[in-house]
Amino acid sequence: LIYQEVDAVMNDAFREAGSGAGRTWPVAEKVGLPSLVQPFLRIDYIWHSEHLRPTYAAVGSEPIGSDHLPVTVIFEWRNIE
């Protein structure tokens, strides 16, 4: 429900420029699951206005201190007149 509310006024960078399902949670070892369990939920998003255009979006393969995998996006400015 919240996704639809935010999606009505912002843009989902991973949906525009990423590939795959974008699953970021859980990192098994961080939440006490066997290491063979892969992230199965997409709960991390980078939202942007129409003034930006994502040119690259990816989910990192290694956790950096969290029970979520990182999401990286590269943007360029759009010339909106």
Side-chain angles (χ1 to χ4, degrees):
L1 181 62
I2 296 300
Y3 180 94
Q4 283 113 5
E5 289 180 21
V6 177
D7 190 50
V9 294
M10 300 293 287
N11 300 305
D12 178 347
F14 189 86
R15 188 176 67 203
E16 291 182 27
S19 64
R23 297 178 181 127
T24 59
W25 188 88
V27 172
E29 298 83 10
K30 300 288 186 174
V31 296
L33 295 172
S35 61
L36 61 97
V37 175
Q38 296 297 308
F40 52 84
L41 293 175
R42 181 176 180 227
I43 60 174
D44 298 287
Y45 300 88
I46 297 177
W47 297 96
H48 66 93
S49 72
E50 70 275 2
H51 294 93
L52 297 173
R53 184 176 73 83
T55 59
Y56 170 86
V59 173
S61 60
E62 297 293 324
I64 52 174
S66 173
D67 61 345
H68 299 241
L69 291 176
V71 179
T72 301
V73 177
I74 297 173
F75 291 101
E76 68 181 20
W77 289 105
R78 285 188 178 170
N79 187 9
I80 297 176
E81 296 179 21

